Amino acid sequence: MPDQLIRVYVPATLAMLSALRERGEISGAEAHAVTPALREWYAEGDEEELEYVAFTRAAQGALRLLRHDPGAPRRRVVISADLPAGAVTREDRELGSSEVRLAAPVPLAAVAAIHIDGQGAADDIAAAADVVEEALAGDPDAQFTVDGAEDHELEWYDVSELETIA
């Protein structure tokens, strides 16, 4: 019986997207998915709502990647991929966690969609990337800035458009 597939959301940058195009896979240990801990925490949520929570957390992970790569264009990237359940290890460190670890790079064939901030979001994303760690530590002013970035919806791209976006 084939392994069941799990949808994961991988935080990335535009440079990582270029690497995906060039190498046919993307490396990254962190990803987000609908985990048992997330389901338990958000018991009232349907599958779509749970996926949105995991996706939003991946977008926040992209902010952290941008903070640590000051030369990267200030646009969040989230890669949606369908991987065999065995390729994903749940972290479940706390109730509500959506974090998972990837056992191996994500192959291009597993990518379902690519999500990228539009050009108009760059200033808000730059400001949020500068303070994302402070927001996670509980700073309300930093959280306000990150929330402003999260007001921007990421644009959806089919994987077949990778050549034109990376």
Side-chain angles (χ1 to χ4, degrees), residues 8-11 16 26-32 65 83 87-89 91 99-106:
V8 297
Y9 303 97
V10 182
M16 293 169 73
I26 185 165
S27 296
E30 176 193 341
H32 293 269
L65 290 173
L83 298 175
V88 176
T89 304
E91 291 293 301
E99 190 172 341
V100 295
R101 293 281 169 208
L102 303 175
V106 175

Side-chain angles (χ1 to χ4, degrees), residues 40-88:
E40 184 179 344
W41 171 73
Y42 200 2
E44 299 300 314
D46 64 19
E47 194 67 20
E48 189 173 316
E49 290 171 312
L50 294 170
E51 287 179 0
Y52 185 75
V53 169
F55 177 87
T56 301
R57 290 179 180 170
Q60 193 170 65
L63 281 177
R64 289 194 313 275
L65 290 173
L66 290 173
R67 178 172 178 145
H68 299 291
D69 186 357
R74 293 339 222 184
R75 293 168 69 195
R76 297 169 297 173
V77 176
V78 175
I79 297 170
S80 298
D82 296 316
L83 298 175
V88 176

Side-chain angles (χ1 to χ4, degrees), residues 2-164:
D3 219 353
Q4 181 180 353
L5 294 179
I6 183 171
R7 171 67 52 101
V8 297
Y9 303 97
V10 182
T13 63
L14 288 173
M16 293 169 73
L17 205 54
S18 292
L20 172 64
R21 181 178 37 77
E22 292 165 10
R23 292 196 286 271
E25 64 183 24
I26 185 165
S27 296
E30 176 193 341
H32 293 269
V34 177
T35 63
L38 181 60
R39 282 186 202 287
E40 184 179 344
W41 171 73
Y42 200 2
E44 299 300 314
D46 64 19
E47 194 67 20
E48 189 173 316
E49 290 171 312
L50 294 170
E51 287 179 0
Y52 185 75
V53 169
F55 177 87
T56 301
R57 290 179 180 170
Q60 193 170 65
L63 281 177
R64 289 194 313 275
L65 290 173
L66 290 173
R67 178 172 178 145
H68 299 291
D69 186 357
R74 293 339 222 184
R75 293 168 69 195
R76 297 169 297 173
V77 176
V78 175
I79 297 170
S80 298
D82 296 316
L83 298 175
V88 176
T89 304
R90 291 191 314 264
E91 291 293 301
D92 288 354
R93 291 179 286 200
E94 59 187 51
L95 188 62
S97 176
S98 62
E99 190 172 341
V100 295
R101 293 281 169 208
L102 303 175
V106 175
L108 182 57
V111 174
I114 300 164
H115 314 270
I116 307 171
D117 275 310
Q119 291 282 2
D123 289 343
D124 287 342
I125 300 306
D130 288 343
V131 298
V132 66
E133 299 295 343
E134 290 83 351
L136 290 170
D139 180 319
D141 292 331
Q143 187 61 54
F144 181 79
T145 302
V146 169
D147 289 346
E150 290 176 356
D151 287 343
H152 294 279
E153 293 289 327
L154 279 74
E155 298 172 356
W156 181 92
Y157 294 90
D158 186 82
V159 69
S160 66
E161 298 177 89
L162 183 59
E163 291 294 322
T164 62

